[in-house]
């Protein structure tokens, strides 16, 4: 166990209405602080327009803040998420890269709606848009919320399973950013790139090894070990991977919504003491109150 003196309740992964969360950045800052988080990052998908609001709200509450984003990447035909932490949110290469990554989302969402229409669900694009705080960031999550509203399923998880994953009517193949590009945008902007929730990808042992190896070769430095979508067995597996690949370890709830998320901000177990927390390498990037 971590000693009390070393214990930092860092939560470095969550989403606001700027992407597919349901709370505003200010409400997330307040929730993080109320839950005892003492280092926080908002990591919206492919978008950093919520960063200034998150930072301002956090600092006003006395909560130290790191800039964050979660970039969608296609690696070996699979969607992989790369979290960036502690970058300069005004860096041109990062801004351009994120804009390019967002670019295909509206077209993809229209194609998803076409698929759903063939399955008898009309006007899903317009319906999903009513849930999107930011139309450029329209995501499967917004479709899921709309289909729950229509009564097709009881939960967003059920909508994903029945309508939005490969082989289902609302699924559309999409090419996101390249792994090396996403890592470089983050790194060039002075941040650290982290493999998000590795336990979620359906990789073979060899493909996962290739992901970690290529990520490191491109300059990636961290991996999420303790995250809301990992099982206790994943905690151990990816702690071992952090040691094997000499990666810094991160911790984040991936909180999206009080109604939908199983894990709340700041409530996960601590990082195993044998790992080096990513925030130790980001000390000079933390924005501190006052
Ligand atoms: P997109 O970027 O549009 O493909 O949407 C991906 C988002 O969908 C993820 O960031 C999660 O928030 C959400 N998601 C993915 N799989 C599931 C699932 N099985 N149940 C609920 N939400 C999911
Ligand atoms: Mn999401
Ligand atoms: Mn993710
Ligand atoms: Mn996430």
């Amino acid at each position: 166990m971590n000693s009390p003196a070393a214990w930092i309740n860092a939560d470095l992964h969550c989403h606001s209405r700027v992407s597919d969360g349901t709370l505003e950045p200010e409400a997330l800052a307040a929730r993080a602080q109320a839950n005892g988080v003492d280092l926080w990052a908002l990591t919206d998908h492919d978008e950093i327009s919520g960063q200034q609001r998150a930072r301002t709200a956090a600092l006003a509450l006395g909560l130290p803040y790191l800039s964050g984003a979660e970039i969608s990447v296609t690696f070996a035909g699979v969607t992989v998420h790369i979290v960036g932490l502690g970058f300069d949110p005004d860096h041109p290469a990062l801004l351009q890269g994120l804009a390019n990554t967002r670019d295909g989302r509206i077209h993809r969402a229209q194609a998803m709606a076409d698929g759903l229409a063939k399955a008898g669900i009309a006007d899903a694009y317009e319906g999903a848009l009513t849930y999107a705080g930011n139309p450029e960031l329209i995501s499967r999550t917004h479709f899921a919320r709309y289909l729950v509203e229509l009564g097709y399923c009881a939960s967003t998880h059920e909508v994903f399973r029945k309508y939005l994953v490969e082989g289902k009517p609302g699924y559309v193949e999409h090419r996101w950013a390249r792994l090396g590009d996403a890592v470089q945008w983050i790194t060039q902007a002075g941040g650290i790139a982290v493999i998000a929730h590795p336990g979620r990808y359906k990789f073979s042992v060899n493909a996962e090894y290739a992901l970690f190896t290529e990520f490191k070769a491109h300059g990636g430095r961290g991996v999420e070990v303790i995250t809301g979508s990992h099982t206790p067995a994943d905690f151990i597996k990816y702690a071992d991977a952090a040691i094997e690949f000499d990666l810094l370890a991160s911790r984040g709830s991936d909180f999206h919504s009080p109604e939908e998320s199983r894990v709340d901000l700041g409530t996960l177990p601590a990082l195993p003491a044998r790992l080096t927390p990513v925030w130790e390498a980001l000390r000079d990037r933390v924005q501190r109150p006052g």
Side-chain angles (χ1 to χ4, degrees), residues 236-274:
I236 296 166
K237 176 177 176 188
Y238 292 103
D240 290 346
I243 305 264
E244 179 187 349
F245 290 94
D246 191 23
L247 290 167
L248 300 160
S250 194
R251 172 180 185 264
S253 57
D254 207 359
F255 180 79
H256 282 70
S257 154
E259 286 76 35
E260 295 163 15
S261 297
R262 271 184 309 111
V263 177
D264 205 340
L265 285 157
T267 63
L268 284 168
L271 280 181
R274 62 191 169 113

Side-chain angles (χ1 to χ4, degrees), residues 13 15 43 45 70 81 197 254 256:
H13 189 152
H15 299 271
T43 55
H45 297 286
E70 183 178 19
H81 288 168
H197 44 61
D254 207 359
H256 282 70

Side-chain angles (χ1 to χ4, degrees), residues 15 18-20 43-47 70-73 79-81 98-113 125 128-129 132 134-143 160 170 172-177 256:
H15 299 271
V18 166
S19 61
D20 62 348
T43 55
D44 279 309
H45 297 286
D46 308 326
E47 175 63 280
E70 183 178 19
I71 305 180
S72 311
V73 158
T79 299
V80 166
H81 288 168
L98 292 173
N100 293 346
T101 307
R102 285 193 297 275
D103 218 25
R105 276 193 181 265
I106 290 178
H107 187 73
R108 168 195 186 230
Q110 286 163 341
M112 287 172 61
Y125 177 67
L129 264 186
N134 174 3
E136 267 190 59
L137 244 298
I138 185 160
S139 84
R140 287 185 293 163
T141 313
H142 304 116
F143 282 86
F160 270 87
V172 172
E173 183 104 24
H174 191 75
R175 255 203 99 76
W176 301 104
H256 282 70

Side-chain angles (χ1 to χ4, degrees), residues 47-64:
E47 175 63 280
I48 54 177
S49 67
Q51 289 301 304
Q52 196 174 337
R53 289 171 61 191
R55 185 185 64 207
T56 302
L59 298 186
L61 292 163
L63 172 58

